[in-house]
Every structure is written in structure tokens, then in C-alpha cells.
DNA sequence: CAATTATAATTGATATATCAATTAAAATCA
DNA sequence: TGATTTTAATTGATATATCAATTATAATTG
């Protein structure tokens, strides 16, 4: 069996697509002038949808590490998009509250997100996107530890 | 038009698949005990294929930033996998030489890379992989700046 | 040839990712 | 109830990503 150089594999192509997409996304939202990262915006969009979510839940929603979420929120608190208040029911938890500035920022950036998503998916039909979803979900599943044990044992 | 939360989009699924894959990859090569990252190994594999490549060429090959490559090489020099020598023809350039330890490490890690690639792609046939390649290349292309201008103008 | 421009690599600053360790509070349970 | 375990969040350490600025050298060109 021949060994493929990493950049000949599908994984490399996945990485490449994602990097280009992220760059486009960041460049597009930079136009709004709030000085936020895509990841920060995504975090706040999720918070807006689920105002009662704590940091652990948010981390799971956006598929990021707890530590990363803590630091992303630190930055957004400094920038005034969100405030972090000790929860009354459980003093280990923090309630996260979108500020007016945070809401305004989301309102202004949402159409820009629509814009770059449409650019990235230009020319694709729903079937193609669904197939890609399926493909990626299968890879995700294959890479899970529980799956691997079964594969190896069988 | 309804606005999808980020995690309902294909881009999020791409990110998720990639993260899981990276975690599997890192965990697998950790077994070899060299204390290297996947990215470092990938860089050295490319160097082995193209021994005369300078850092800029390597950066392009592995689709990373110059600055990242400089720092990755710093680390690998410290670990003794590669040595960095000023080029005789052009003193701005650095020649990168794989050490014996670097070669040994690659030899030992290559089968592990085969292993996790096979796990990640378990159950896929070549057609499916080709379709995915095609899909990802089209996204990559759509997100390029040159493409975007044309899309917007048309 | 001297001045300007381009190139290769490094460095700085900042954001994010990941893992481990820590802290504080809540929940469990013996 | 007091000791132990679990949970939520933070913090530390290190790797990587990205952009801008810098340094040293080479190439160009007026």
C-alpha cells in the first residue's frame, strides 16, 4: 500500500476548505468594525438563542473547550458585548447577559454572515450539501473512541 | 430566508470532523512516545520528500503561515529532529536537515499515520471520497477572493 | 554603482486550542 | 452532619494561527 503525503488526503482538503472559509468569514465581519472574531460572534449568537446556558453548555454547543470559552468570554466582557454575573441559584455558575452593544453588534453582523455563507455555498444544490453532511458525520463517527474500539475488535 | 445557527451549517460539521480527526491523530502518534505534534510530523514528512525546500516552500506545501513554520521548526530543532543551517547560496535562506533521530521518528510514526487514516475512512468507497474532494475543492474555490469578485459582479 | 525594491526568515502581539491543575461551591453518602 | 466526590469555572503551560513589523540579504534599476 502506498503512503499518501498528507496533502494528498481528504483531511488536508478539509483543512484547506475550512481555512479559506474562516478567512473569508473574518474578512467579511471585519467590515462591520466591531473588532470581533467569528468565534466570538458564534458564541454570542448561541447565547442569544439560549440565554440561560452556562459556559459549559455553550462550550458544548459550539464544540469548543471550556478553557477556550472562558477566555473568549473574558475578551467579550472587556469589549462590552456581554456581562458575567455570579448566578444566584448556584454560585459556581455565571450568568451571561448580552449587553445592548452586544445585541446591536449581532444585528449588524448577522446579514454579513448570511452573505459569506452564500458565497461559500454558491452553486451547490441541497442534495450535494446533504451528501457532504453525511460524509462528514461518518468521518466524525469513525474518529470517536467508542467507534474505534469496535472497529479494532471486529 | 431563515437564518441557521452556525452549528446547523455544513461548515460546523466540517470543523467537527476535523477536530475529531486531529484528536485521533494526535492520540495515535503519542503512542510512539516522541512528544511531537501531528503538524510537526507532517512538516518533516514534507521535508523528507523535498529536502531542498526552504521554509517558505514548506509553508506553502502544508498550507500554513510562514510564522507558524518558523516556530514549528524552532521546536523541532530543540527536540533534535532537524537542524537549521544558513544556506551557502543565499544567506537569507536556511537549509533544513533531518537528523537521524528525525528520520527514525518518521519511520516509526508512518505506520501509525496509516492506522488512523484507515480508521477515519473506514467504510468509505473511492467514489464517496472523490465526491467529498470535489465538494471541498468547490468550497475552497468559492472562498477565494478572486472568485468572490466575479460572483458579486455577475 | 548607489538607491530602491523584493525576498527569507524572524519576532511581536493577540486569539485560540488543549491538557492538566486549581479553586470554590454544591451534591452525595456513610 | 462531616468527609468525600462532583461540578463550574478559572488559570497555567504550551502549540498553533494570523497579521504586522522588523532584520538581513539579494536583486533590480536608474
Amino acid at each position: 500500500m502506498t503512503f499518501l503525503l498528507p496533502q494528498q488526503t481528504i483531511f488536508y482538503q478539509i483543512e484547506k476548505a475550512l481555512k479559506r472559509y474562516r478567512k473569508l468569514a473574518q474578512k467579511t465581519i471585519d467590515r462591520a468594525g466591531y473588532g470581533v472574531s467569528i468565534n466570538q460572534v458564534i458564541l454570542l449568537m448561541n447565547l442569544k438563542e439560549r440565554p440561560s446556558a452556562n459556559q459549559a453548555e455553550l462550550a458544548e454547543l459550539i464544540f469548543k473547550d471550556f478553557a477556550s470559552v472562558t477566555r473568549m468570554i473574558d475578551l467579550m466582557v472587556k469589549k462590552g458585548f456581554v456581562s458575567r454575573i455570579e448566578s444566584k441559584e448556584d454560585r459556581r455558575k455565571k450568568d451571561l447577559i448580552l449587553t445592548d452593544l452586544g445585541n446591536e453588534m449581532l444585528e449588524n453582523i448577522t446579514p454579513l454572515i448570511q452573505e459569506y455563507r452564500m458565497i461559500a455555498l454558491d452553486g451547490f444544490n441541497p442534495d450535494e450539501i446533504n451528501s457532504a453532511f453525511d460524509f462528514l458525520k461518518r468521518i466524525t463517527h469513525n474518529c470517536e473512541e467508542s467507534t474505534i474500539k469496535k472497529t479494532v475488535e471486529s
Side-chain angles (χ1 to χ4, degrees), chain A residues 1 10 18 20 43 51 67 69 78 80-81 84 97 99-100 103 108 110 116 122 138 143 146 151:
Chain A
M1 187 172 180
I10 188 76
L18 192 58
R20 282 266 163 77
L43 182 59
V69 168
K78 267 186 214 154
F81 297 123
R84 179 157 44 184
I97 321 275
T99 63
D100 290 347
N103 269 302
N108 287 322
T110 301
Y116 69 66
D122 184 51
R138 282 165 66 196
C143 293
S146 51
T151 311

Side-chain angles (χ1 to χ4, degrees), chain A residues 5-148:
Chain A
L5 271 188
Q7 54 271 36
Q8 297 171 300
T9 68
I10 188 76
F11 310 108
Y12 178 77
Q13 193 62 49
I14 293 175
E15 200 161 336
K16 199 160 171 176
L18 192 58
K19 268 195 194 172
R20 282 266 163 77
Y21 174 72
R22 283 205 192 117
K23 199 171 252 179
L24 166 63
Q26 189 62 54
K27 202 167 227 172
T28 308
I29 71 164
D30 281 350
R31 296 205 320 251
Y34 288 98
V36 285
S37 75
I38 337 158
N39 284 322
Q40 291 168 3
V41 175
I42 287 172
L43 182 59
L44 290 195
M45 288 175 61
N46 277 276
L47 179 62
K48 186 160 187 163
E49 280 294 308
R50 306 257 301 252
S52 66
N54 60 25
Q55 292 182 209
E57 286 162 347
L58 284 172
E60 196 172 338
L61 276 172
I62 63 172
F63 202 62
K64 291 199 188 293
D65 190 82
F66 297 168
S68 297
V69 168
T70 293
R71 282 162 185 139
M72 286 167 70
I73 292 173
D74 285 348
L75 287 171
M76 288 190 291
V77 168
K78 267 186 214 154
K79 288 174 182 164
F81 297 123
V82 73
S83 49
R84 179 157 44 184
I85 306 168
E86 194 172 82
S87 164
K88 279 165 197 158
E89 308 101 55
D90 183 340
R91 291 174 53 213
R92 291 170 304 184
K93 292 188 182 178
K94 304 284 168 72
D95 289 337
L96 298 174
I97 321 275
L98 259 178
T99 63
D100 290 347
L101 179 63
N103 269 302
E104 179 207 299
M105 183 269 281
L106 284 186
E107 299 245 319
N108 287 322
I109 284 182
T110 301
L112 295 177
I113 295 179
Q114 290 274 35
E115 179 187 318
Y116 69 66
R117 283 185 189 168
M118 281 180 64
I119 289 173
L121 291 180
D122 184 51
F124 289 100
N125 66 48
D127 275 356
E128 288 169 321
I129 295 179
N130 284 335
S131 300
F133 252 114
D134 189 56
F135 179 85
L136 293 163
K137 278 183 186 163
R138 282 165 66 196
I139 286 195
T140 309
H141 178 254
N142 281 351
C143 293
E144 274 164 21
E145 288 183 63
S146 51
T147 314
I148 294 163

